Amino acid sequence: MKKSLFILLVGLMAIVLVACSGKKSGSDSEGATDTVVVGDDIKGATELSFWTFVSLHMEFFEDAAKRWNEANPDRPIKLKAETYPYDQMHNNLLLALQSGKGAPDISDIEISRFPNYLQGEPQLLPMNQFVDPEIDNFVKARLEIYSKDGQYYGMPTHVGASVMYYNKEIMDEAGVDIDSIKTWDDYVEAGKQVVAKTGKMMANVPTGDYIPMWAMISQQGSDWFDENGDVTVDSPENIKALQFLHDLVYVHKIAELTPGGQPHAEEYYAYMNDGGAASISMPLWYMGRFLDYMPDLKNKIVIRPMPAWEPGGFRSAGMGGTGTVVTNQTKHADLAKEFLAFAKLSREANIQLWTVLGFDPPRWDVWESDEVKQDNKFYQYFGNDIFDTLLEIRDEINPVHITAQTPEVQNEINTVTFDSVLRQQTQTAEEALKEAADKIRSNKQ
């Protein structure tokens, strides 16, 4: 009954969203914030529709469609790419798949929403015929996120490898050798030296973004859920990570709470741009935030692996993501699947993920290619050793377990747990995570 109510509520949400906007659902451009058509001037081109919630992804697929048409003049496509607001796109897609009509041929699905589309019999087409021959060239954990029962449905957009961004200017002033920081204990000692010598903070602890903590628990082989979908929010490893974040601020006194609450806040960008702290741990896709919002840090920020919990431990984690799928409503299944494989799985496609979007390609075999070493704005900002760092950590990324309750965990951690442990200090890490885990378990469908 709970599952039925959930599906009904999602459907009602989508209807309300559409009604309020005065738009209708379906694969036309009404309600889209942006629409791009590629190949409309090619006679006999087969039309494929694509939905996304990120305009940059539309640019990537526009590039892919142009390359496809150049490489396949006998099978051209007319790609109609549409960008919708995040909630509207995901809700309308789920409603369309459940109703059996109105879905696009191809669509992006954000990682935390993906489990909703795998419940029951997935209304998506498996891509195994294209994945299996190439899987050894990929960071497998990123393909497994979007799979069910051995079938691969979503094609990843990036690895999302978590790294440490260090302000070399501050670290040099403190007399700290960045490359000597191997473990979190080393990090704490380095932070004490930074505070003593420069008066700057070593780091900030977010109170509205659980990704940095998630990376720290993933490093330990833990997660919010286990491989069976059982809640592990209150595991010893998770408690250890949250307690460590608390202690950075209140015990070691080398960090302060993140201005604006999370690393995507305008207050935080301004703070960091002014040299507010010596480091931040975020996925590689955060590079774009530096370029767009912290221009004064150009040539000051270097990228290194995360510190490990113990010598020899994992120094990264894969965070965030988008899986691109072919829906079962496409009338051109073979062509849509082949185009998606061309756009996301091929060697050239993964090079384009870096050159067009600045993402760390899920296909690790391109990390050493000449193409990704060509000068661009990211190298000019961070230096030329970005992929050297990625190669160091390529085998140190655990798979994460995404379930239909992942958004609930995100909300609970960001709004309740962090507030009680990090802001108010009214609960210990263990007390708060046990309370959160019990609440999430009681809501499990």
Side-chain angles (χ1 to χ4, degrees):
M1 181 176 288
K2 287 185 177 180
K3 182 175 179 181
S4 300
L5 286 172
F6 170 78
I7 293 173
L8 178 60
L9 285 171
V10 169
L12 289 173
M13 286 170 61
I15 293 169
V16 170
L17 281 168
V18 172
C20 290
S21 65
K23 306 297 182 182
K24 60 184 180 181
S25 64
S27 57
D28 58 33
S29 60
E30 292 189 46
T33 59
D34 197 9
T35 301
V36 169
V37 180
V38 177
D40 58 340
D41 58 340
I42 302 177
K43 186 177 181 180
T46 300
E47 181 168 340
L48 296 176
S49 54
F50 168 63
W51 285 4
T52 186
F53 55 95
V54 182
S55 58
L56 281 174
H57 292 186
M58 189 163 67
E59 293 178 24
F60 174 79
F61 271 87
E62 180 182 2
D63 172 80
K66 291 176 180 177
R67 291 189 293 107
W68 169 273
N69 287 339
E70 291 174 2
N72 300 276
D74 57 328
R75 291 183 298 156
I77 64 172
K78 173 185 175 182
L79 184 70
K80 185 177 183 181
E82 299 168 340
T83 302
Y84 292 87
Y86 176 89
D87 284 329
Q88 181 183 344
M89 194 220 78
H90 285 94
N91 291 334
N92 284 0
L93 178 63
L94 193 59
L95 178 63
L97 292 175
Q98 290 170 351
S99 67
K101 60 181 180 180
D105 298 286
I106 302 169
S107 183
D108 278 346
I109 302 175
E110 195 267 333
I111 186 171
S112 66
R113 294 293 189 97
F114 211 90
N116 295 338
Y117 302 84
L118 296 181
Q119 294 188 35
E121 184 69 26
Q123 304 300 295
L124 312 172
L125 300 184
M127 293 284 292
N128 289 50
Q129 68 191 95
F130 301 102
V131 172
D132 290 343
E134 300 287 354
I135 195 166
D136 288 340
N137 296 319
F138 279 79
V139 177
K140 295 180 183 178
R142 303 311 285 176
L143 286 164
E144 292 169 1
I145 290 171
Y146 309 113
S147 68
K148 179 181 180 180
D149 298 331
Q151 300 295 309
Y152 297 101
Y153 295 103
M155 301 300 97
T157 303
H158 56 63
V159 173
S162 292
V163 296
M164 189 66 74
Y165 296 90
Y166 290 105
N167 185 318
K168 193 173 186 300
E169 185 175 74
I170 297 175
M171 300 297 278
D172 286 347
E173 182 183 348
V176 175
D177 176 10
I178 294 170
D179 293 317
S180 70
I181 302 174
K182 305 296 185 183
T183 66
W184 284 112
D185 287 340
D186 295 337
Y187 182 84
V188 169
E189 292 307 310
K192 292 177 181 178
Q193 191 167 328
V194 166
V195 173
K197 295 290 183 66
T198 71
K200 303 280 188 180
M201 288 288 105
M202 181 63 166
N204 299 98
V205 175
T207 55
D209 187 342
Y210 76 156
I211 281 184
M213 178 183 166
W214 195 357
M216 295 172 78
I217 69 177
S218 180
Q219 282 185 285
Q220 302 176 74
S222 185
D223 206 336
W224 308 120
F225 304 90
D226 65 17
E227 63 274 11
N228 299 314
D230 293 328
V231 177
T232 57
V233 168
D234 54 349
S235 72
E237 295 84 0
N238 298 9
I239 293 169
K240 179 180 178 180
L242 182 54
Q243 187 64 50
F244 180 78
L245 290 173
H246 170 277
D247 291 351
L248 287 179
V249 179
Y250 299 106
V251 176
H252 305 304
K253 301 186 185 302
I254 64 169
E256 57 189 7
L257 300 183
T258 302
Q262 44 99 355
H264 308 287
E266 290 184 8
E267 299 94 321
Y268 180 71
Y269 294 144
Y271 164 89
M272 284 296 285
N273 193 53
D274 196 36
S279 67
I280 174 179
S281 180
M282 283 293 286
L284 199 74
W285 47 255
Y286 194 78
M287 287 192 303
R289 309 302 198 275
F290 279 99
L291 269 69
D292 292 342
Y293 304 112
M294 296 168 270
D296 294 346
L297 298 183
K298 183 178 181 180
N299 298 321
K300 298 180 182 179
I301 302 295
V302 296
I303 297 172
R304 294 292 186 271
M306 293 175 65
W309 285 101
E310 65 282 321
F314 279 15
R315 297 170 296 164
S316 188
M319 293 288 108
T322 297
T324 310
V325 303
V326 175
T327 75
N328 67 349
Q329 292 181 25
T330 180
K331 296 179 180 179
H332 311 285
D334 290 341
L335 181 61
K337 290 168 69 174
E338 191 170 349
F339 170 65
L340 179 56
F342 175 88
K344 299 293 285 288
L345 294 179
S346 68
R347 185 177 185 277
E348 183 178 0
N350 276 253
I351 290 170
Q352 293 298 98
L353 284 169
W354 165 251
T355 57
V356 175
L357 299 177
F359 291 166
D360 45 347
R363 195 175 162 134
W364 65 262
D365 64 339
V366 307
W367 294 359
E368 296 181 277
S369 68
D370 291 336
E371 291 91 338
V372 302
K373 295 177 182 177
Q374 294 178 9
D375 188 42
N376 64 15
K377 60 185 179 180
F378 300 104
Y379 289 128
Q380 292 166 15
Y381 191 105
F382 297 99
N384 60 8
D385 56 0
I386 297 170
F387 280 92
D388 292 337
T389 297
L390 286 178
L391 286 166
E392 276 191 58
I393 60 178
R394 76 181 188 194
D395 296 323
E396 300 180 30
I397 297 174
N398 286 312
V400 293
H401 303 111
I402 309 298
T403 79
Q405 286 190 287
T406 297
E408 184 182 351
V409 171
Q410 179 183 22
N411 182 68
E412 186 69 21
I413 298 295
N414 285 347
T415 62
V416 179
T417 305
F418 283 163
D419 183 63
S420 63
V421 176
L422 300 176
R423 287 189 179 278
Q424 308 299 331
Q425 296 191 80
T426 54
Q427 288 182 303
T428 66
E430 182 174 3
E431 291 168 344
L433 287 176
K434 285 189 178 298
E435 182 176 297
D438 289 344
K439 185 184 299 184
I440 293 160
R441 289 187 185 106
S442 68
N443 293 335
K444 188 173 182 180
Q445 298 170 23

